[in-house]
Amino acid sequence: MKKIFLYTASLLLVLVIGFSCKKSFLDRKPIGQEVIETYFTTEKRALEGIVGVYDPLGWDKTFDRMFWCLGDGATDDNNLGASRDDAVGAGTNYVQINIAAEYTNMRAIPLSPAFSIMYKGYYDGINRANLMIKILNDPQTTISDVAKKRFVAEAKTLRAIYYFMLVNYYGGVPLFTYALNPQDASTIRLPRSTAAQVYAQIEKDLNEAIVDLPKKSVTVSEGMVGRMTKGTAYGMLVKAYLYQKKFTESVTAANNLAALGEYTFNADYFDNFRVTNLNGRESILEVQHNNNAITVNNVEGWGADGYDGSSASNTMNACFGGFGFNRPSGNLYNSFTATDTRRKYVAAVNGDVVDGVTFTCGDPTNASIVKFTLLGLNNPLSVPGRADVAPINRVLIRYSDVLMMKAEALCAAATPTATAPSEAVSILVQIRNRGGLTIPTAASYTAYTADQLLSAIRQERRREFGMEGWRLFDLHRWGIDSTKNALIRIGKIDNAVPTKIWKDAYMLYPLPQSEIDISGGAVIQNPGY
């Protein structure tokens, strides 16, 4: 199977419709309607336009480094191995990584360009989706109805993904579902919608998209694995419903995904991350990477606005995956028991052997991440002289995640003192058995209350999905106490230290002041900043 084509057509999209990765979506130059309407009249060219909507999935400021620097770094899973100077790296294109050293000083976050860069990155994706939906629905777009419906469904799914990230980082945000016209202030100066309104749009987009999206098997047969599928949309619905505490709906979406008959567990946990098993049977959504190094804005490799197909981590000699500033914490390491076979893939230490490579450094307080890392300096898939480019995908949703969310929803929907739901027990046992854990047994878990099993499921999520970037959203979903206590136990929050004092406002990040200014005051900043 060949990878989805995220690498070749995007520049053409930029040239044709004037997208710019560097500017805010509010800074666009007027778009030439005649050029757009006459260009995207064939299926081939419309596909090129949809490729541009996928493109932000791979940007450094969205789902590459910013995602795992936030998702791991702002939690108890991250050890913050690098200093601020080390994290900044080589110039302004790396400025978003400043935040890796600022999580321990929440008051400094409004001063970091990282959040402005990220905010605009997701809105770039949203504006691209809006524009392509508008173009595809234009009578002058004379491609087949089947192709048109699929392209629109892909754009809606991607728009839902981008809004899902924004609403979880910032809360309610301006809700744009149309292509912006910078010459018309009324299309730009929208106030913030509520979080509920944003989620309603996410649900609407995903439910509409499911009808016209293909199954994963179709994308495999086309040689275009990585495109949006029914499974992707259902997986995002499971998340969206669960995060809103719509537990019944979340379980239903998980059941609908399972009914597709396309997803199952990998017998080997690490098969979810091996470069030889990308987009495997457990995979629902992956950001497609390759080993091409593309120069963007005169910077070859990673950059704040670039997409070069690089992996999230580096080719390494079995030490310090994650470039030092995304190392697993000792607290995460200690959450595993000695017999848990997943531990070495989440937090590797001296003496661990992974796929024939022996780790020669690291201890529980200074472990290495193995996921999303190409092992061995002489790996034939590595790019000579380039430690930041490798064909390892970013796995965003896998089937075990959907099942664990279903188990969580089943327990959360039950009376806390009721007997633990048997289906939730079965899921938890299956997850643990794959990791080599047989105690507690299913019979033991059956004696738990629903609330006790919910606690066990939450603890298991940390181990199963360690260093995959979702820990921050999990903690936020579970509430202020979960987030605060996680940061306290690792020393990132300490009310005895002026720069580490906790505020409940820290559950949401600050919106960029530049966007507030451009909105003419229509957008109001989050409290506490």
Side-chain angles (χ1 to χ4, degrees):
M1 294 182 297
K2 60 184 179 182
K3 300 263 190 174
I4 187 174
F5 38 77
L6 296 184
Y7 322 105
T8 58
S10 298
L11 291 179
L12 179 59
L13 182 72
V14 170
L15 291 173
V16 172
I17 59 181
F19 286 139
S20 168
C21 295
K22 290 187 69 176
K23 295 183 179 180
S24 163
F25 75 101
L26 297 175
D27 294 333
R28 303 290 175 224
K29 294 180 180 180
I31 297 171
Q33 285 296 114
E34 182 178 352
V35 174
I36 294 174
E37 293 176 358
T38 57
Y39 187 84
F40 292 105
T41 54
T42 68
E43 186 170 329
K44 179 179 182 295
R45 288 182 171 181
L47 180 59
E48 292 167 356
I50 290 298
V51 167
V53 187
Y54 278 89
D55 198 37
L57 283 176
W59 287 349
D60 213 13
K61 58 191 172 185
T62 54
F63 280 107
D64 208 340
R65 278 191 295 181
M66 195 62 187
F67 174 69
W68 47 263
C69 278
L70 278 170
D72 299 327
T75 77
D76 50 350
D77 280 0
N78 177 278
N79 207 34
L80 287 180
S83 71
R84 192 178 195 280
D85 289 339
D86 290 337
V88 171
T92 56
N93 280 332
Y94 293 80
V95 74
Q96 72 273 30
I97 304 306
N98 291 5
I99 201 61
E102 289 174 356
Y103 296 140
T104 53
N105 182 1
M106 296 293 286
R107 296 190 305 176
I109 284 177
L111 304 178
S112 172
F115 289 90
S116 177
I117 291 170
M118 180 177 69
Y119 182 92
K120 295 171 185 179
Y122 285 118
Y123 269 116
D124 260 323
I126 289 165
N127 195 43
R128 291 181 178 207
N130 291 342
L131 185 54
M132 285 308 302
I133 292 170
K134 177 180 182 294
I135 291 167
L136 290 163
N137 287 328
D138 191 292
Q140 295 186 61
T141 304
T142 57
I143 64 175
S144 71
D145 285 343
V146 172
K148 183 184 297 186
K149 287 179 179 179
R150 180 176 178 180
F151 291 149
V152 169
E154 288 178 279
K156 287 183 176 180
T157 304
L158 288 161
R159 181 169 68 184
I161 291 171
Y162 300 145
Y163 268 126
F164 179 84
M165 301 305 292
L166 284 169
V167 76
N168 277 282
Y169 284 135
Y170 300 101
V173 292
L175 191 56
F176 296 92
T177 56
Y178 52 81
L180 298 176
N181 179 0
Q183 293 180 312
D184 182 354
S186 66
T187 70
I188 296 173
R189 295 179 177 176
L190 287 186
R192 297 175 64 172
S193 296
T194 65
Q197 289 169 330
V198 176
Y199 269 117
Q201 182 63 48
I202 291 169
E203 292 174 20
K204 181 175 184 294
D205 277 344
L206 293 172
N207 279 307
E208 290 176 354
I210 285 167
V211 177
D212 296 311
L213 286 172
K215 295 177 69 173
K216 180 180 178 179
S217 56
V218 173
T219 66
V220 172
S221 66
E222 294 171 332
M224 291 186 178
V225 64
R227 290 181 71 175
M228 297 293 106
T229 64
K230 292 183 186 295
T232 307
Y234 275 130
M236 285 305 302
L237 269 178
V238 175
K239 282 187 179 289
Y241 286 137
L242 180 63
Y243 282 41
Q244 298 174 83
K245 295 181 170 49
K246 295 182 176 181
F247 302 125
T248 300
E249 292 90 337
S250 186
V251 170
T252 299
N255 289 339
N256 287 337
L257 184 147
L260 295 173
E262 296 196 301
Y263 305 99
T264 187
F265 273 14
N266 287 310
D268 184 342
Y269 175 78
F270 195 50
D271 267 351
N272 289 296
F273 311 101
R274 282 190 174 92
V275 71
T276 54
N277 196 53
L278 303 179
N279 303 295
R281 62 186 183 181
E282 192 169 328
S283 172
I284 295 172
L285 174 61
E286 295 185 17
V287 178
Q288 307 297 304
H289 287 157
N290 67 10
N291 59 357
N292 293 332
I294 298 174
T295 300
V296 179
N297 299 328
N298 298 318
V299 176
E300 185 180 1
W302 276 353
D305 303 310
Y307 180 79
D308 66 2
S310 64
S311 73
S313 192
N314 61 325
T315 305
M316 69 179 201
N317 191 22
C319 287
F320 304 131
F323 293 109
F325 53 80
N326 194 40
R327 295 182 194 169
S329 68
N331 189 266
L332 174 59
Y333 178 96
N334 289 329
S335 71
F336 291 90
T337 62
T339 57
D340 196 326
T341 59
R342 296 168 298 180
R343 193 271 306 155
K344 67 179 180 180
Y345 305 120
V346 176
V349 298
N350 185 41
D352 283 334
V353 180
V354 178
D355 285 354
V357 177
T358 302
F359 279 71
T360 57
C361 62
D363 58 58
T365 65
N366 198 26
S368 298
I369 179 175
V370 178
K371 296 176 180 179
F372 315 120
T373 301
L374 193 61
L375 291 169
L377 290 176
N378 296 317
N379 192 301
L381 293 174
S382 64
V383 178
R386 293 302 307 272
D388 58 346
V389 179
I392 301 177
N393 293 350
R394 163 60 64 177
V395 183
L396 293 181
I397 306 177
R398 46 193 179 92
Y399 190 49
S400 57
D401 189 7
V402 170
L403 290 182
M404 286 289 278
M405 287 190 288
K406 177 182 177 181
E408 182 179 333
L410 287 168
C411 290
T415 302
T417 56
T419 301
S422 59
E423 190 173 7
V425 168
S426 177
I427 290 169
L428 179 58
V429 169
Q430 187 178 8
I431 293 286
R432 288 176 57 81
N433 283 353
R434 181 170 67 174
L437 305 175
T438 57
I439 298 174
T441 64
S444 299
Y445 280 126
T446 301
Y448 282 28
T449 65
D451 196 50
Q452 288 171 333
L453 189 67
L454 178 60
S455 178
I457 288 168
R458 289 177 174 179
Q459 294 173 39
E460 200 61 44
R461 278 196 66 87
R462 187 186 188 193
R463 292 182 284 266
E464 174 71 14
F465 307 108
M467 306 306 289
E468 293 182 41
W470 290 112
R471 177 66 170 170
L472 177 66
F473 283 8
D474 282 346
L475 291 171
H476 281 188
R477 181 172 77 254
W478 300 331
I480 291 173
D481 285 345
S482 293
T483 306
K484 180 171 62 175
N485 291 335
L487 296 175
I488 287 173
R489 64 173 165 258
I490 199 172
K492 293 182 179 180
I493 292 296
D494 184 347
N495 285 342
V497 180
T499 58
K500 296 184 180 182
I501 295 174
W502 172 261
K503 287 201 255 181
D504 290 353
Y506 293 159
M507 295 291 284
L508 296 175
Y509 292 123
L511 277 71
Q513 186 60 44
S514 61
E515 304 303 299
I516 294 172
D517 295 341
I518 290 172
S519 76
V523 173
I524 305 300
Q525 182 60 276
N526 279 325
Y529 296 100

